[in-house]
Amino acid sequence: SWLRNFYFSASAPVGAEIVFNSKKKSYVGFSGTVQPTYVLGNRAYLLSTDYKNYAEIPSLTRKWNINSSAEVFVGYNTGKLNWRIGPQVRYQALSSFVEKYPINEQLFDYGIKIGVLLK
């Protein structure tokens, strides 16, 4: 059978960005952020300590966490729009669960980020 874990969260990224060749139509850049994150709600299943069963216990999920991300991107200016694409990695500093839960989970995501910025 399949279990589906859902987390609904909000974060406030604070970061910095360095852009090279920003005067031309195309450019290259690097950015990094730190993201305090609050879980608004979840429907997550937790593995039992004997690793045989699952239970839905929202009280064992950490409400506050810290994430960080880094990305390298190439961009292109088209009038009022800036288009960007590049690889991004994101790491969760603390476990998804409170300390009294014996299993530790720190998420690591990677992928391609595509963005459009309006000037």
Side-chain angles (χ1 to χ4, degrees):
S1 67
W2 286 87
L3 298 175
R4 296 178 192 251
N5 286 341
F6 291 101
Y7 291 95
F8 303 100
S9 62
S11 52
V14 176
E17 177 178 285
I18 298 171
V19 177
F20 304 99
N21 275 346
S22 62
K23 304 270 190 233
K24 297 183 178 185
K25 282 203 174 253
S26 61
Y27 56 92
V28 176
F30 171 81
S31 70
T33 63
V34 175
Q35 306 162 10
T37 305
Y38 182 75
V39 175
L40 301 168
N42 71 65
R43 285 182 276 153
Y45 291 92
L46 306 178
L47 188 57
S48 64
T49 55
D50 63 1
Y51 300 103
K52 294 182 181 179
N53 299 300
Y54 291 92
E56 188 175 2
I57 309 171
S59 64
L60 291 178
T61 304
R62 184 184 302 273
K63 290 289 185 185
W64 284 98
N65 215 320
I66 298 287
N67 294 287
S68 61
S69 72
E71 65 180 89
V72 176
F73 56 86
V74 294
Y76 188 77
N77 293 322
T78 58
K80 290 190 174 196
L81 297 177
N82 286 353
W83 297 85
R84 294 182 175 183
I85 188 168
Q88 180 189 45
V89 295
R90 189 169 189 251
Y91 178 72
Q92 180 176 290
L94 304 172
S95 175
S96 298
F97 310 113
V98 295
E99 290 179 9
K100 67 181 179 181
Y101 183 63
I103 298 174
N104 190 5
E105 173 192 75
Q106 290 169 292
L107 302 177
F108 178 77
D109 299 318
Y110 58 90
I112 299 294
K113 182 176 179 179
I114 300 171
V116 178
L117 293 119
L118 181 62
K119 291 184 195 178

